[in-house]
Amino acid sequence: MARILTGIQPSGALHLGNYFGAIKQIKELQNSNDLFIFIANYHALTSLKDSKALKKNTIDCAINFLSLGIDPNETTFYVQSDVKEVLELYWILSTYTPMGLLERAHSYKDKVSKGIGASHSLFSYPVLMAADILLYDAQIVPVGKDQIQHVEMTRDIAIKFNNDFGEILSIPKFKVAKDTQTVLGVDGAKMSKSYGNTIDIFSDEKELKKAIGKIVTNSTPIEDKKEWATCNIFALAKLYLDKTKQEELQKRYTKGGEGYGHFKVYLKELIWNYYENARQKREYYLNNKDEVHDILSDGAKKASKIAKNKIEIIKNAVGIYR
Ligand code: ADP
Ligand code: TRP
């Protein structure tokens, strides 16, 4: 069984792009692998300077992932800051990280250009990410495209460390989900929190209707035949339909007699029904937060056991007293 590890930034509401671009893939890995998923709250601290919001986002993120199907019996699910060894390793690794390596990071430059303060933590963000990965001997790291460089840096740091001390650290590989297309937002651009064009998974029915109402379409009259291939309502509906159902919807487009309003109602129903089960679970966890804290504590215990063992080997190798 391969050890697969990934971190999630706790950052507010999840949208359909997050689901199809990341969460669904993670879920598919969970039964046949030794999967580690953690909430990267120390990473979030580099850009979120609101203590209430960070705490709330952390627990909300846990609730959302549990509701959408992360199974704590199958997966080691924990909060990054609950395993303190990660910060010890972060420091040790930073002594093996050349400045030049960090200076080449695209993500740092992007974030600074978007107005996030150029702090030391933002600069050394990839070293903490390397510690997240190397502490658990992760073999495969599923990430979005923007994070590939960080996993490559992890490899570079680990190789440099191993050159001095032998094969102590496992060299991980990144994995980018190939067949996930970019989910488009209501304006036809990539769905993203930063563009304000999202359809959120856990909005209530009224909000969902409102978001879908904003999907931009052309102005073909009701009675006319419509183009499904270029229609954003269709593109979103397709994510929830098997082949037969897609063909049925295509026929409705080409037949004419229905307006985009009808297709929007149809899409709303699809999305609403798809997440029915997740919504119920979420309601349950929102009312039973203690249970969520217990799940996270159990996950942290499992992770800590491995982390404690590994950090001893590493500290001993570099010569840290005791
Ligand atoms: P946002 O752009 O809304 O800030 P994030 O950067 O937090 O989203 O993305 C979290 C995960 O969701 C990443 O793995 C990313 O690849 C995936 N993701 C985000 N938006 C989309 C999208 N529109 N289509 C496909 N995947 C997406
Ligand atoms: N930086 C990642 C992101 O923004 C989150 C993350 C933190 C992570 N540590 C990780 C992902 C370790 C994979 C492995 O999405």
Side-chain angles (χ1 to χ4, degrees):
M1 271 215 295
R3 175 156 302 160
I4 302 187
L5 173 143
T6 197
I8 319 148
Q9 287 238 27
S11 49
L14 291 171
H15 56 70
L16 306 187
N18 297 142
Y19 186 75
F20 287 99
I23 300 167
K24 199 160 167 264
Q25 275 71 36
I26 296 176
K27 257 170 48 172
E28 281 157 11
L29 294 169
Q30 106 178 321
N31 298 323
S32 48
N33 294 285
D34 180 17
L35 186 61
F36 280 54
I37 301 178
F38 65 93
I39 303 174
N41 58 340
Y42 274 133
H43 277 111
L45 193 57
T46 61
S47 52
L48 182 59
K49 296 291 195 288
D50 174 337
S51 71
K52 265 202 187 133
L54 181 54
K55 279 188 191 170
K56 183 175 183 304
N57 285 356
T58 304
I59 191 76
D60 283 355
C61 178
I63 290 177
N64 288 343
F65 273 74
L66 290 170
S67 308
L68 287 166
I70 293 306
D71 178 354
N73 296 314
E74 298 281 348
T75 296
T76 307
F77 185 48
Y78 60 102
V79 179
Q80 184 183 34
S81 62
D82 277 345
V83 183
K84 315 243 177 313
E85 288 77 13
V86 78
L87 292 182
E88 294 188 73
L89 183 56
Y90 161 70
W91 181 256
I92 295 171
L93 293 178
S94 79
T95 69
Y96 287 85
T97 307
M99 282 296 282
L101 186 72
L102 296 178
E103 275 161 0
R104 288 195 291 276
H106 310 304
S107 169
Y108 172 74
K109 290 180 228 171
D110 287 353
K111 285 181 177 166
V112 173
S113 74
K114 281 184 190 145
I116 298 180
S119 68
H120 172 260
S121 67
L122 196 63
F123 186 67
S124 63
Y125 181 112
V127 188
L128 181 56
M129 202 162 145
D132 289 327
I133 297 167
L134 299 173
L135 189 57
Y136 302 99
D137 287 316
Q139 294 158 285
I140 299 170
V141 183
V143 283
K145 278 198 205 102
D146 60 317
Q147 298 293 316
I148 293 176
Q149 194 191 25
H150 290 159
V151 183
E152 286 171 344
M153 290 170 147
T154 300
R155 290 170 59 90
D156 289 344
I157 295 168
I159 289 168
K160 199 164 154 42
F161 185 96
N162 284 353
N163 276 341
D164 280 6
F165 301 109
E167 302 303 306
I168 288 183
L169 303 176
S170 306
I171 313 296
K173 290 196 172 85
F174 65 81
K175 179 176 189 293
V176 181
K178 279 204 190 68
D179 52 353
T180 54
Q181 70 269 52
T182 301
V183 177
L184 300 182
V186 294
D187 57 356
K190 179 186 182 241
M191 187 177 286
S192 169
K193 276 189 295 291
S194 18
Y195 303 150
N197 64 356
T198 62
I199 298 174
D200 292 342
I201 299 175
F202 292 121
S203 47
D204 66 29
E205 204 164 0
K206 220 169 144 192
E207 289 159 354
L208 180 62
K209 195 169 164 218
K210 200 169 154 205
I212 290 174
K214 286 190 199 148
I215 297 175
V216 179
T217 59
N218 60 30
S219 48
T220 315
I222 289 207
E223 57 281 6
D224 287 9
K225 166 181 183 246
K226 289 171 193 66
E227 187 79 53
W228 54 265
T230 52
C231 178
N232 198 19
I233 305 171
F234 184 85
L236 288 166
K238 196 174 163 222
L239 298 166
Y240 299 90
L241 297 174
D242 62 22
K243 256 214 140 79
T244 320
K245 289 264 187 313
Q246 284 179 33
E247 281 163 14
E248 280 172 23
L249 184 59
Q250 288 169 3
K251 280 193 193 127
R252 286 173 61 185
Y253 270 77
T254 44
K255 199 164 152 227
E258 285 189 277
Y260 290 113
H262 294 102
F263 299 133
K264 284 184 177 177
V265 171
Y266 177 68
L267 176 64
K268 193 223 95 191
E269 287 302 313
L270 278 180
I271 297 176
W272 185 252
N273 294 337
Y274 188 85
Y275 299 108
E276 173 63 32
N277 185 265
R279 261 195 316 278
Q280 278 178 17
K281 278 198 188 167
R282 186 162 175 269
E283 202 51 41
Y284 173 82
Y285 285 126
L286 283 170
N287 291 318
N288 293 277
K289 286 203 177 138
D290 287 353
E291 208 171 299
V292 179
H293 288 291
D294 288 348
I295 289 172
L296 293 172
S297 297
D298 283 353
K301 262 188 220 142
K302 276 199 261 169
S304 290
K305 227 173 148 181
I306 298 168
K308 282 198 165 69
N309 194 25
K310 191 78 194 177
I311 200 75
E312 283 317 311
I313 296 170
I314 294 168
K315 280 163 78 174
N316 185 46
V318 298
I320 294 298
Y321 170 70
R322 278 197 205 282

